[in-house]
Every structure is written in C-alpha cells, then in structure tokens.
Amino acid sequence: MSPASPVWLRVRLLRVLWALLAVLPWPWKLWALIHNFQECTWQVALNKFQRVGENLESDRFLHQEPVDTVRNVFNMLVDSPIDRREKYLGFPYYLKINYSCHGQDSEDLVRRGHLIGLKPLVLVTFQAPANFYRWKIEQLQIQMEAAPFRSKEPCPATEVCVMSWYTPMPIKNGSVVMRVDVSSNGVGPIIPNQRFHVNINGFLKMEGDKIQFTVGDELFDLKLRYFVNVPSRPLWYNVDQSPVLILGGIPNEKTLIMTSTNFKEFSLVELSIDSCWVGSFYCPQAEFSATIHDAISTESTLFIRQNQLVYYFTGTYSTLYEGSHSSDGLVSFELLPRNQSMCQRLLADRCSITWATFISGENTLILLVEIYYQKSDEKYYQLTNYNLITNEMNILYTMPLFIPDAGGLEFLMILGTETYTNTPMVPKGLFFNVYNNLLFIWGNFLLQSYNTENFLYLADFPKESTIKYLVNSFQGDVVIVTETEEIWYLLEGTYQLSRLFPSKGWDIHVSLQVMKESSLYASNETMVTLFYEEDKLYQLVYLIQKQQGHLVKRQVPVENVLLYKQYNKYHVEPEGNFRTLIFTNFCPFEVMRLGNLPNPQAYTRQERYLARPPMVLNPSGFHTENSLAVYQGLVYYLLWLHSKYDKPYADPVHDPTWRWWKNKKQDKDYYSYLASNWLSAGGVHIDMDSYEKVYDLKASYRLPERIFLDKGAEYHFSIFLTARGHSFEMGTVVGSVFKVRSRVSVGVVVADPSCTESLVQQRVLVKRNSVLFLVTLRDKSVCYDQGISGHHLMKTSLMVKVVGSSGFCFQHTHLGPRLQGNLMVPVFIGCPPGKRLAFDITYTLKYMRLKNKHYYDCIYQDPEMPCFLFRDMFYPFFLIQDLVTGDSGSFKGSYVLKVVGGGRSLGSIVDYNEEEIYRYNSPLDKTDSRIWTTRTAGTTQDMAFHIMSYENSGIEWLCLENSPCYDLTPQGIFPPEFYFKVLVSNRDVDNSTYCDYQLIFLLHIHGLPLSAKRALFLLIVSASVLVGLVILYIIICLLWPYVVRACSHLRWRINNIIASESYYTYATSSRVFSLSSQPSFEAISKVPSQVDTKVENQEDQPKLEPAEENQPESLLSAQPSASLSSL
C-alpha cells in the first residue's frame, strides 16, 4: 500500500482543533465571503455536429477535418453581409457548456442563469506546433460567446425544460493541443474561471459505428491489483505539446492509461504488442515481465519500453501532416557516442549510463555515468556532456563518494574541503530546467547548480530517503517524490525543502475535506502519479470507497499545507484578565501588488479573435440548428482569413478581417433595419462588428505567462510592498543627509546575465509604510543571431524574490491561499512571433508619383498588382507588420534586394539558380546580365550585392543583353511586359533587430525597351512599309483619273453589250420579223427621247403573242430603258 493520505478511523479532536485554529487569523470579512461563496463549477462536454441538443456523454475528439454541413444554411442568407460565393465550412464538434453548484440541480441552475442573462465566455487557445519548419509559430486564441439551445428531448413545458449553451469547437492546422477557458460574463452567480484540456486523439479510428484504439484494445475493468500496493511512477510527456498522455507501470500487464483530457477522462488500453523476452549484452536484465516500464508521449508519437524493447506508435494527425499518417518509419534511432563507446571515451574498464538529459538549445546531452576501474574497488559517478554536432565529450564534474556533512546549515557549497558522512552518495537521475539553467542531481541527496561546475548541497532533504522522480512546473516550483511516496516541495532559487506528505498540514487539510464529505478523499487510497498543469500540482489517485475502486484527479493543496504548517508557531500573551493566542507570521510584508504593467500582447505575442453568435429573431433568445450552423461557418471563415493573411502586398488596413466586410460596411444600417423589423433572411442577423481581431488586451495585475524580447527590448513593471510593522530605519552617510532605508528588500535574478540585465529602483513611501520597486528587464543585444519569426528562440527567465518570503507569504482569495513573494517568468530572446515584412504598395505609388512627376499603369490594370514603367526610377518601400498588436510602420533597417525569378506571364515564371541570381543582381557581374542597378554605394562584405535602405531605395532597370528581360518581342501593339520575382532580406546586413525578414513578391514591369538590333530592324521595316504606302498613295493619286476614265469606258462597253443582247432577245421572240425592223431600230436610235418615240410609233408596233401580253410592263421596258439611259 502506498497511501497518499493517512488512514483514519475517526476524526480526531486534535485535527479539528488545528482546522479551527487555521481559520482564526483570517479576516472576518474574507471568511464570511468564503463561507457564503457557492461552490459552482463549469461543465464542458464535446458533442458531434449531428448530436447537438442531445443529452449524451461527451464524444471523443477523433475527426479533424472541416465538414461541409453549413453550405445550404448559408445559401438561405440572401440579404446579409456575407458573400455567398465564398466557401463556408463547419467543424465536426460543438462544446456543450453547463454549470453546477454543490447541492443544487444543474438543470434548474442553467435555466435560471439564462433567464437572468448569464452567458458563458469561451476562450480557446491553440498551442503552437513543435514542428516550426512546416507550420507558422504563433500564439493564437479565439474568444466566443456561448449560444443557448434547447434540448431535443420531449418536454411538456411551453418554452424550455432542459437547455445548454453551445459554441463551435474550432480546429486549426498545426495545433493538436487546445486549452478551453470558460468564464462568466459577470451576470448571475459567481462561478470561478475553469480550464479544460480538449486535445485531438490521433490514436483512435472508426470501425463501423464504433471507435477503436489504433494501439490496442480498450479495457473497462479497473482491477484492484493494477493499483493497490503499486508504487507511483513519473508521467513523461512534452510539456504543452503532447495531446495524449500515457502512463504505464501496471504490474505484469502490457496495459497503460491513456487520456487526451489530462485525466479528466481516461481509458485503459491493452497494447497490441508481443511480450518478447529479449536480452541484451550491453544492457543485461535479470528478470522479464509484461509490465510497461516507461511510457513517453510526444506531439504525435508514443514510445513504449517493455523489458529491453522500445515500441513506438505514430498517431493519425491530419492537422499536423496534411494527410493520414501512421507508424511508418517516422522515427529513427542512433547509437551514441559515435565511433567509440562510452567506456572508451572515459578510459574506464566498465561503465554504464545512469541518466541522460537533452538540452535542445545547445544540441548537447548531459550524462550521469557510473564508472568502474580495475585498480580500485570503488565506483565513481561522473557528470559528462556530449555534443551531437562536434561529437565531443567532456567531463564536467566528478561526484563525491559520500554525502557531505552540512553541520546544521540549510545548504553547503561543495568545494572539496568539507567533511563527509559515512553515507555513500548514490545518484539516481538528473533534471535540467532550460529556462533558468538549473541542474539537479538527485538520489539519496539533492544537488543543484547553475553552471554544471559549482554545486550546492541542500541539507534539508534527509539522507535516509531516496528520490524516485522530480516534477517541475517550469514556473519556479519543484516537487520531489521519494521511494516511500513522500512528497517534498522546493522553490527554485531557494534552499528550503518542505515536506508536504506526510505532514501535520496535510492531516489538517484531509480532516477538513472529510468534514465537507469530499468525494476526492478516502481512507484507502494510492497515489498513481504526480504532475503539473501550468502552475497547479495534481495527483492521480486510486480511491477505494464502499469496496469500489476508481481513479480520480485532484489538486494537491500545496499552499494550504504550507499555511497550516505555520500554525505550529504561536505564543500566548496576557491582555488584562485574558490571554490572547498569537500566531507568528514570518512574512516580511502584508501586501504585495504588481503595477505599471504594460499591455501584455506586445510581450506575450498572443493573438486573439472575437466571435459572437449571430442574433436570432426569436423572443426567447434560443438558437436553432441553423443559427448554430451559421455560427460554425463564421468562426471557420474567421480562422481561414487569419491563416491566409500572408499577402506580400500590404493591405491599406492592417487587419485580416478588413477584406471580409470592406464592401458591406456601408450597408450596415440597412442590415440593422432588417433585423429590427424581423426581416432578416433565415431568422438570423449577422453583426459585422462581432467578428474582429482584438488588439487592446489589458494587463491583469499579474506577470504574463511568457515574455518575448527583440534586440534591445525592455520590459517594465513595479512591485508595491506594504511592510509588516516598523521596517524603516534612518541611515547616515558621512557628508550627506539622513536617508530612509527599508528592511524589506527584493532580489531580481536573471538566468543568463551575459544576455539580459535587470535594473531595480527603490522608492520608500514612509507615510504608507510601503516600498515601491521599479523593475526593468533589458536585452543586451549580444547573445542571439538573426532568426525567422518565432524560430530558434533562446530560452531564459526572470526571477523576482522578496527576501525572507519563501514559503511564508500567502495571499488569501475566495479560491484559497496563494503563495506570494516569488515570481518567475520565462523569457524568450529572438525574433518574436507575429512579425512580418510586407511590400508597402500604397506608399510606394505615392512616392513614385512625387519623384517621377507621373505614374503610368498597365493598359489592363490589376488592383492587386499595379504596374511600374520601365524607364521610371523604382522606389520600393516596406512595412513591418505586427500581427499581434496591429501596429504597422515603415521598415527603417537595411536590406538586400535580389531578382530570383521571372517570366513574361504569371504562368511562365521560373526560379533562377544561384549562378543566375548572382549574374542578374551583382554589381561585380562582367557578363552584361544585370537586370537592375542602383546609385547606393553600400554593398555586402563580399561586395556581391547592394545594400538598400529606407533612405536609399532607388532602382534603375537595365535588362542588359544577357538578362532574361532583354529584347522581348512585343505581343500585340503594346510594349513588352515582364514579371520579376523579387526577394528582400535583411539577413546579415541589419543590426536593428533579431528578426531575419524575408519577403518574396512579384513585380509587374511594362514598357520594356527593345534591343538596338531589333529596334533598327523594326525601324527599317516600319519605314519601308511607310514609304511604300506613300508611294502607293502617290501612284494612286496620279493614275486615278485614268482609272476612272477606263472604268467608265469599260462600264459603257459592258452596258452596251448587255443592251444589245437584250434587244436581239426581244426581236427574235416576235412572231412578225421583217427587214423593216432595222430601220425602226435606227430610227429609234436617232430619236432624242424614248417616251416620244414610244408615242409616235405606238400604232406601228406589231401585235404580241399571248405569252408576251401577260408579261409585266415594267419587265418589258426595264432593259431598253437602262440601255438608252446609259447611252
């Protein structure tokens, strides 16, 4: 049995007395507030899209792809601000939110909360991915307001019986770890903020209608022998990166505990592996079993060690790999050290590696090696480091053989001259904190060092105990678990260890929980593991209650235990006829407050979007499935706009949502009119102001979760301390006036003093019995090279400690006591996430109009990519856009501009190789291949490329003979055009920032000139054509009268022939034909007029046949008339 709390039969009077004494010194007003404070908690469940409104259990987070389930709903919104031509998708899950209070019905509470205006606010935080080569590193949040929705179950009431609040559960590419923070809008009951871990489980699969694990089979029977009398074990995982946590150590079973909600929910899984009994010459093992000895989880892979075999399983995470992946060779192993064994490197006869820890920032392994020599029977332990890049190994420290004698001190610096006890020093492991460079060596002792050379021995830890594992919060807290399941607590940077369990403070806390009938404590319990969530310590405990066993996750009350321990120190003072019980308070101050905190986003780099549900035209305010589907689509599109906001051309308004509503803002009043008159399509009104990016978050009087510092950046804040009692004294300095000094002092520690520095200014406020400390953290601009935004950041930290406050100072809140006096903030030095370089097209056009006195765009204009004329000087300007704070300013640093590709059209652009890039851009080129030149004299160190700047940015286009833009044939009547692919980078030429800005954009140039040969050829051809046309015109002008006369004569001849043929045809068709017709024809030809002739000879005309009589007169007289008129 490994109990995590004492076994009791009854509540002893002594413990109750301690519990009562514990609350005596608290202020009565605060105690009354806590006494009347309802113990209410939020409840969050994951529901599939199709199961919204069903009162079922939480679904498992399996599906990762957006679903096309909202398109039909958006097609109904015919008169709304959205563009229905865009593609709106939904997410596969909703978050269902309720709340409950102790002793009250949850359904009644939710209904009451809705009626009085309670609305849960949900903040989803997407954890940045570990693979920054594939995904952009960013700190992204989206805040949503939950929408009320009635249950689908039958209800006899008119309006509502059962209801819940719903929000979409968004998914983001590159992120599989998500934190959900639920808070209240301030209306209704006081419900504390609560955090939930909703992670994607990539080790699940669908088989028909059932969900199965890909690593094995799920078991549903938690047997007693799995946990009872089983020692606790460490939980190994990547902090803030592992979506799935696994825990082995179940005796003689190839079974582990798996969870994707940090043990809020969990599953028992039997692995589908073969229990092989394989031995190893290098790592001999005395006995074998099916037990999973070690289980480690990373972002996408699980590592399992059974005996001497290591298995790994890769999850299916489409959000990480943009495809379906499984265990298919994504992991490789390498034997280290290379070329030689560890013993050969250390010149030892026998050796074994006891522990190893990896320092990623230095590519170094720190090894704890056990060494044997033939000349000595003693075994030695050495601390070595191995560099993975250079393959070098160095011995850092050789440990003493025995535990030193501290002589009653809290700590002892090991110099080699101290005395030692008879207890051998047996190291078991290492722990390295990358933020403060603090290295722990632990076993039946505890050593710590900041430089791996000078070690401090912490004497508070008893040498009779042996440490089994350490748990670190990476925020200044360390918890130690021994082989006997003792729990010790240590604040980093201090030397005092406090035993949390077993202790009198723990007994008091358990007694109070038993009085409250808490379900998280039992007389028979076993601790399974211990781990941190952010800054809170949690236990996974196996409880046996009423002969039933179950696993529970509970918070370890570190502050309460430390506070209860202080009430051992008290004394009694007489006051008149009574005696007063006075507890000794060791805290040097009464009040500690932080002030003058800057707005956090500039330093935390946290991007946040706001999305409220659409307004429903329903008097009860309840949403429908369609309105929730609209909410899904809007949240999806908002995140899609964020992911696509990487245009090289800067928008006029620096905001991803600007393009969403830019054409609809002018109609805002119209849409409001439709909504106010209940005329909105689909019964849904979309408020454009409800979907925006937040840039003005305010500080919450606490230090931020993390701080990012660029080159030379500073972070300022102040600490206000109200001293306890009279803590001031008058100090005198020879030759100066009296000076007030305070006994309350603050120490500021930076983990890397060669890279960062701190400045503390003290102001004594005598009248307020307080001291104000102004703290400044500054980067020294010497410890980091340029890097891509958010990549390869240097990890360090800032620690602030009030002297004498370690473990003694507490702040009492309605959520319980909190430790005060010790602050620790991780600091990242480098190029902060969320900064980018963009082409400032707006200012570039404005400046070029000013300098060149004109601007000529292309004939076919493209508003997204304006053209520039070849013969004009080109003056490019660039912006530094801060995607977090919304700031946008001109880039004033130096940069190198290169043309790295080009083509005559967008579809024909090709990338140039290194040789071509050099020839086209370098001022040293001698092959007449340069594309452009500049009057700027500055060049890189090798003089290969020009260095441009904000003040000197003029570019003159050349397109010399061997360049790709030389001598282009015009395609049509317009001059040639060309697209240049331009790279702009400040790498190695700009000392104003740590950021390695790189921008690639397309530049459209028109009006390119022709070569001399082609121009001369075209000139000759054009002149020849022109001269020919002129000569032809002259010839035509000279010959035109003759041509007209010839044409007239030719027409006369043709008409004459036609008339003759017509006459003979007419004459032969007559019955009477005689020779007298010839004189008649001659007479007719001599007559001046046809009409007169016809009148005179009307009586002499012969009689026609019947066929000719029926012929129309117009037809008979047309041809002779034409012939006569032409004559």
Side-chain angles (χ1 to χ4, degrees), residues 372-415:
Y372 297 87
Y373 296 100
Q374 291 182 353
K375 298 180 181 180
S376 174
D377 296 334
E378 302 287 347
K379 60 179 179 180
Y380 300 90
Y381 290 93
Q382 289 185 340
L383 189 68
T384 65
N385 70 336
Y386 175 73
N387 192 293
L388 300 179
I389 305 300
T390 62
N391 200 31
E392 296 181 355
M393 178 177 289
N394 299 310
I395 298 176
L396 301 176
Y397 182 71
T398 301
M399 302 187 60
L401 297 177
F402 299 95
I403 294 179
D405 185 5
L409 301 176
E410 290 183 348
F411 67 94
L412 182 67
M413 174 72 76
I414 299 180
L415 301 175

Side-chain angles (χ1 to χ4, degrees), residues 755-769:
C755 301
T756 57
E757 60 182 355
S758 62
L759 177 64
V760 181
Q761 297 178 353
Q762 177 181 339
R763 296 179 183 177
V764 179
L765 309 176
V766 179
K767 293 183 179 181
R768 303 175 63 180
N769 194 29

Side-chain angles (χ1 to χ4, degrees), residues 330-401:
L330 298 177
V331 179
S332 61
F333 298 90
E334 183 181 6
L335 182 63
L336 299 174
R338 305 182 185 95
N339 303 327
Q340 288 181 314
S341 66
M342 181 65 66
C343 298
Q344 293 174 337
R345 290 290 185 96
L346 299 177
L347 303 178
D349 297 319
R350 285 188 302 119
C351 66
S352 63
I353 299 176
T354 304
W355 200 274
T357 183
F358 177 63
I359 305 176
S360 59
E362 302 176 3
N363 290 314
T364 300
L365 281 171
I366 297 182
L367 307 170
L368 180 62
V369 186
E370 182 181 356
I371 300 175
Y372 297 87
Y373 296 100
Q374 291 182 353
K375 298 180 181 180
S376 174
D377 296 334
E378 302 287 347
K379 60 179 179 180
Y380 300 90
Y381 290 93
Q382 289 185 340
L383 189 68
T384 65
N385 70 336
Y386 175 73
N387 192 293
L388 300 179
I389 305 300
T390 62
N391 200 31
E392 296 181 355
M393 178 177 289
N394 299 310
I395 298 176
L396 301 176
Y397 182 71
T398 301
M399 302 187 60
L401 297 177

Side-chain angles (χ1 to χ4, degrees), residues 837-1053:
L837 186 68
F839 181 36
D840 190 358
I841 184 63
T842 303
Y843 186 71
T844 298
L845 293 176
K846 179 180 178 181
Y847 189 82
M848 290 188 62
R849 286 190 179 97
L850 178 65
K851 294 290 290 184
N852 297 326
K853 309 302 181 183
H854 62 265
Y855 170 71
Y856 299 109
D857 204 345
C858 289
I859 302 298
Y860 303 103
Q861 300 179 7
D862 183 3
E864 299 292 333
M865 188 187 300
C867 291
F868 297 94
L869 190 61
F870 179 88
R871 69 170 183 263
D872 289 344
M873 288 289 293
F874 178 60
Y875 298 94
F877 291 94
F878 303 94
L879 289 174
I880 297 298
Q881 292 185 333
D882 194 328
L883 304 179
V884 178
T885 63
D887 296 334
S888 181
S890 296
F891 176 57
K892 300 297 182 64
S894 302
Y895 60 91
V896 173
L897 186 146
K898 303 176 185 178
V899 177
V900 297
R904 299 202 60 174
S905 63
L906 292 175
S908 62
I909 296 177
V910 296
D911 294 331
Y912 304 143
N913 56 38
E914 293 294 332
E915 179 185 355
E916 292 173 332
I917 293 175
Y918 178 84
R919 290 192 294 109
Y920 298 157
N921 299 274
S922 176
L924 302 179
D925 176 67
K926 305 299 182 182
T927 62
D928 291 336
S929 303
R930 295 181 62 186
I931 294 178
W932 61 277
T933 187
T934 180
R935 300 173 184 175
T936 304
T939 60
T940 56
Q941 293 183 355
D942 57 359
M943 302 182 67
F945 301 100
H946 287 288
I947 297 179
M948 315 290 290
S949 65
Y950 179 83
E951 293 80 10
N952 302 302
S953 62
I955 289 177
E956 180 183 355
W957 300 108
L958 297 178
C959 288
L960 297 182
E961 183 176 358
N962 294 320
S963 66
C965 56
Y966 175 76
D967 193 20
L968 298 180
T969 304
Q971 297 178 351
I973 62 173
F974 301 111
E977 300 179 357
F978 202 84
Y979 290 88
F980 291 113
K981 190 175 183 180
V982 180
L983 168 65
V984 175
S985 174
N986 69 333
R987 180 74 179 179
D988 297 330
V989 297
D990 184 21
N991 298 322
S992 63
T993 178
Y994 285 139
C995 293
D996 178 9
Y997 294 122
Q998 289 189 2
L999 172 66
I1000 297 178
F1001 64 98
L1002 297 179
L1003 202 59
H1004 192 184
I1005 305 297
H1006 70 115
L1008 274 71
L1010 304 174
S1011 65
K1013 294 181 180 180
R1014 188 177 299 274
L1016 179 61
F1017 173 76
L1018 291 179
L1019 178 62
I1020 294 174
V1021 172
S1022 301
S1024 301
V1025 173
L1026 180 61
V1027 171
L1029 292 176
V1030 171
I1031 295 174
L1032 179 61
Y1033 176 77
I1034 295 174
I1035 293 175
I1036 292 175
C1037 291
L1038 295 176
L1039 297 180
W1040 181 252
Y1042 300 98
V1043 172
V1044 171
R1045 186 179 304 172
C1047 290
S1048 299
H1049 181 71
L1050 178 61
R1051 187 177 62 177
W1052 176 82
R1053 296 286 298 176

Side-chain angles (χ1 to χ4, degrees), residues 296-504:
I296 304 173
S297 63
T298 63
E299 188 176 42
S300 60
T301 306
L302 306 179
F303 294 90
I304 309 296
R305 184 179 75 86
Q306 185 191 54
N307 300 318
Q308 293 181 352
L309 294 180
V310 176
Y311 302 86
Y312 69 92
F313 301 90
T314 302
T316 302
Y317 287 104
S318 59
T319 57
L320 290 179
Y321 299 104
E322 297 179 333
S324 179
H325 285 253
S326 58
S327 302
D328 53 0
L330 298 177
V331 179
S332 61
F333 298 90
E334 183 181 6
L335 182 63
L336 299 174
R338 305 182 185 95
N339 303 327
Q340 288 181 314
S341 66
M342 181 65 66
C343 298
Q344 293 174 337
R345 290 290 185 96
L346 299 177
L347 303 178
D349 297 319
R350 285 188 302 119
C351 66
S352 63
I353 299 176
T354 304
W355 200 274
T357 183
F358 177 63
I359 305 176
S360 59
E362 302 176 3
N363 290 314
T364 300
L365 281 171
I366 297 182
L367 307 170
L368 180 62
V369 186
E370 182 181 356
I371 300 175
Y372 297 87
Y373 296 100
Q374 291 182 353
K375 298 180 181 180
S376 174
D377 296 334
E378 302 287 347
K379 60 179 179 180
Y380 300 90
Y381 290 93
Q382 289 185 340
L383 189 68
T384 65
N385 70 336
Y386 175 73
N387 192 293
L388 300 179
I389 305 300
T390 62
N391 200 31
E392 296 181 355
M393 178 177 289
N394 299 310
I395 298 176
L396 301 176
Y397 182 71
T398 301
M399 302 187 60
L401 297 177
F402 299 95
I403 294 179
D405 185 5
L409 301 176
E410 290 183 348
F411 67 94
L412 182 67
M413 174 72 76
I414 299 180
L415 301 175
T417 59
E418 55 278 346
T419 59
Y420 294 89
T421 64
N422 296 326
T423 304
M425 182 177 282
V426 183
K428 294 289 186 179
L430 306 173
F431 186 88
F432 184 80
N433 190 335
V434 295
Y435 292 105
N436 56 14
N437 301 323
L438 185 59
L439 174 67
F440 288 102
I441 305 178
W442 48 267
N444 58 344
F445 61 94
L446 187 62
L447 297 180
Q448 71 175 24
S449 173
Y450 285 98
N451 57 8
T452 67
E453 296 179 1
N454 302 313
F455 284 85
L456 292 177
Y457 168 66
L458 303 185
D460 284 348
F461 185 79
K463 60 181 179 295
E464 294 79 17
S465 299
T466 301
I467 299 175
K468 183 164 55 175
Y469 59 89
L470 267 67
V471 182
N472 198 303
S473 68
F474 296 97
Q475 295 186 11
D477 307 286
V478 178
V479 172
I480 300 168
V481 180
T482 67
E483 297 286 353
T484 57
E485 305 300 338
E486 294 180 352
I487 302 176
W488 293 74
Y489 177 75
L490 171 68
L491 277 172
E492 290 182 334
T494 63
Y495 317 107
Q496 298 175 349
L497 281 91
S498 302
R499 186 167 61 181
L500 301 179
F501 170 80
S503 66
K504 189 170 294 186

